[in-house]
Amino acid sequence: KYIKLISYENKLDNCVSDSYSSEELGELMKDKVVTINTYNSQSERLGLGSGFVIAHYNNQTFFLTNSHVIVNADTINIRWLDGNIDKAILVLDGGGTIDSNDIAILKIIGIIGKPVKIRNDIPKLGRDVIAIGTPEDDFYEYTISKGIISSLRARGTQIQTDTAINPGNSGGPLIDYSGCVIGMNTSGRDDLQGINFAISNKVL
């Protein structure tokens, strides 16, 4: 039921008009994108990733991130750009690793932030996009990088982009200039420059 809720609420807008600048997109997403920190049972930090708000329901806020961001976590913290931290509950784990099942849904109690809009149609090659997330360390929280859609892979379920996607960017949104999410950043090739990937909105 969570997937149906997310699809209905977030895909009402057709996201056709490229009406935003990069600066405006940076401001628009500030209350939508979060940093995710995970810890083991001894409160030792396991990892770091990114995520974004997808829905409000029944006094709860829901987030999308990658499954590999929260793997083996006993505690999951959501950190907002203003520094506030909320403890998250795992709702759904696709169990994937850098594939179309690499999806997890988290929730917190309370209505916080604003849900993103997710594009309905698959965007075309060459479309300008930006990625937002926290690459590598909390010091680089809310980093914005710009690029294009380089290709569509795996029958449109995976977007290849030259937008910079580094460790910690995983789970963050890939956004076009309509202000809508077209994918969830997932991985990059360490051995090649400008070859990075996101799960496409066809899956989300």
Side-chain angles (χ1 to χ4, degrees):
K1 68 179 181 179
Y2 295 110
I3 297 297
K4 289 182 180 178
L5 168 71
I6 291 159
S7 297
Y8 177 74
E9 286 193 350
N10 296 58
K11 293 190 176 182
L12 294 178
D13 192 292
N14 59 16
C15 303
V16 171
S17 176
D18 288 346
S19 57
Y20 293 98
S21 66
S22 296
E23 294 93 336
E24 289 168 335
L25 284 176
E27 289 297 317
L28 177 71
M29 301 302 291
K30 279 185 175 180
D31 58 356
K32 300 174 175 62
V33 180
V34 297
T35 298
I36 298 173
N37 285 287
T38 63
Y39 302 86
N40 63 19
S41 57
Q42 285 75 46
S43 298
E44 298 168 332
R45 182 163 153 174
L46 288 177
L48 172 141
S50 304
F52 50 97
V53 180
I54 50 171
H56 292 145
Y57 178 72
N58 196 25
N59 196 39
Q60 300 169 106
T61 300
F62 292 83
F63 305 83
L64 203 60
T65 189
N66 284 137
S67 179
H68 75 260
V69 168
I70 51 88
V71 66
N72 297 325
D74 291 293
T75 300
I76 304 169
N77 284 348
I78 299 289
R79 177 184 171 92
W80 300 89
L81 191 56
D82 63 7
N84 286 326
I85 295 174
D86 291 290
K87 186 174 180 179
I89 301 165
L90 179 62
V91 175
L92 180 148
D93 185 359
T97 304
I98 314 178
D99 57 27
S100 59
N101 293 314
D102 193 2
I103 293 175
I105 297 176
L106 309 175
K107 71 176 182 180
I108 62 172
I109 304 302
I111 303 298
I112 308 175
K114 293 182 179 179
V116 301
K117 292 179 180 178
I118 299 175
R119 191 182 181 93
N120 265 318
D121 59 317
I122 301 298
K124 293 180 172 60
L125 304 189
R127 190 169 184 82
D128 292 326
V129 291
I130 68 169
I132 303 178
T134 301
E136 195 63 41
D137 190 271
D138 286 332
F139 178 80
Y140 301 111
E141 183 179 31
Y142 203 76
T143 292
I144 299 173
S145 56
K146 181 179 179 180
I148 63 168
I149 296 175
S150 305
S151 188
L152 296 174
R153 307 292 182 189
R155 297 182 179 180
T157 63
Q158 191 176 66
I159 294 172
Q160 180 184 326
T161 177
D162 64 352
T163 311
I165 297 175
N166 297 293
N169 274 121
S170 294
L174 189 67
I175 308 155
D176 69 13
Y177 282 76
S178 70
C180 295
V181 171
I182 62 167
M184 179 168 59
N185 304 319
T186 303
S187 65
R189 287 285 300 267
D190 293 333
D191 57 332
L192 296 171
Q193 291 186 344
I195 305 293
N196 303 297
F197 299 96
I199 297 173
S200 85
N201 58 335
K202 183 176 181 178
V203 177
L204 306 181

